[in-house]
Amino acid sequence: MLPDPIQNLVSALERLPGIGPKTASRLAFFLLRSPEEIPSQLAEALKDLKTKIAFCQECFNITAAGRERCEICDSSQRDGTMICVVEEPLDVLAMERIAAYKGRYHVLQGVLSPIEGIGPDDLKIKPLLERISRGGVQEIILATNPSMEGEATAQYLHPRLQALGVRVTRLARGLPVGGDLEYADQNTLLRALSGRQEMS
Ligand SMILES: [Zn+2]
């Protein structure tokens, strides 16, 4: 029914999480009638996203395109015996803001969620296990969010990590339940990190 250029945009928007057909058409028509700079800024930002940013092949955090490994993985100042496992790149930023953690990271790029059909193979779990198998890692801090999915993901990882002979800890409670690491205030996060406990 719709002309192709509009239909194509609607179809592309519909593929984004949380956007249904109704919202997709509303956004498409908004862009159609908005001043030229809004759609062109959006187009430019979308183009830059994939050409200028890439994922670190070691920890899967974001890094500049063309780099194999991120600055944290490359830095000799960081303690390679410790890996803090988080859900998203924004969680790395939250941890870095408190400036109390000197180990490295591993970004799962999501959490286990049967409802959304996200299983272990959809996350960066295998590369994590391979990383540990290469040796040198002593402690894994599971810093997935204190949500139902975050807990389930930590519980899934725990025995698999333990089997590799590393110490497995979990951030202390105190983070708001259901809240995101990225929104926790710095003192809360600092306390959760220093009070981390062995998982049982
Ligand atoms: Zn990295």
Side-chain angles (χ1 to χ4, degrees):
M1 283 302 202
L2 288 169
D4 278 353
I6 302 179
Q7 187 55 54
N8 291 344
L9 179 58
V10 171
S11 308
L13 289 168
E14 263 186 278
R15 297 178 71 177
L16 301 175
I19 305 223
K22 220 171 147 180
T23 310
S25 10
R26 206 163 47 82
L27 289 171
F29 281 100
F30 165 81
L31 289 165
L32 185 62
R33 62 171 187 270
S34 56
E36 178 57 33
E37 80 238 35
I38 295 181
S40 46
Q41 209 175 48
L42 184 64
E44 192 71 14
L46 287 173
K47 195 156 62 69
D48 283 356
L49 191 64
K50 284 296 201 174
T51 52
K52 298 194 175 157
I53 304 288
F55 290 110
C56 169
Q57 289 311 296
E58 178 85 0
C59 74
F60 299 93
N61 190 13
I62 46 173
T63 190
R67 276 186 84 124
E68 176 103 351
R69 289 150 57 96
C70 70
E71 279 176 37
I72 295 175
C73 286
D74 264 345
S75 168
S76 57
Q77 308 295 309
R78 308 293 296 227
D79 179 359
T81 66
M82 255 186 191
I83 296 178
C84 178
V85 176
V86 296
E87 295 178 18
E88 302 288 351
L90 281 175
D91 301 325
V92 174
L93 288 179
M95 288 290 290
E96 288 296 285
R97 268 200 301 272
I98 62 172
Y101 177 68
K102 292 288 163 237
R104 298 212 165 104
Y105 295 95
H106 193 88
V107 181
L108 294 173
Q109 297 192 346
V111 266
L112 295 176
S113 172
I115 294 167
E116 288 176 56
I118 300 170
D121 292 340
D122 300 308
L123 306 176
K124 300 297 180 191
I125 290 177
K126 214 171 144 219
L128 171 65
L129 301 178
E130 285 166 0
R131 231 179 127 179
I132 298 164
S133 302
R134 289 201 297 270
V137 180
Q138 288 164 13
E139 181 182 351
I140 298 290
I141 304 170
L142 292 176
T144 47
N145 289 326
S147 61
M148 220 164 68
E149 290 86 359
E151 280 302 332
T153 307
Q155 292 300 338
Y156 175 87
L157 289 172
H158 180 218
R160 288 161 178 84
L161 297 170
Q162 231 176 10
L164 296 172
V166 288
R167 182 181 171 213
V168 184
T169 57
R170 179 93 172 103
L171 287 190
R173 315 232 165 226
L175 291 168
V177 172
D180 273 12
L181 217 62
E182 54 173 298
Y183 300 125
D185 71 83
Q186 299 193 12
N187 284 330
T188 308
L189 195 47
L190 197 56
R191 271 200 308 275
L193 177 65
S194 57
R196 68 184 185 274
Q197 286 162 349
E198 309 277 337
M199 264 190 93
S200 53

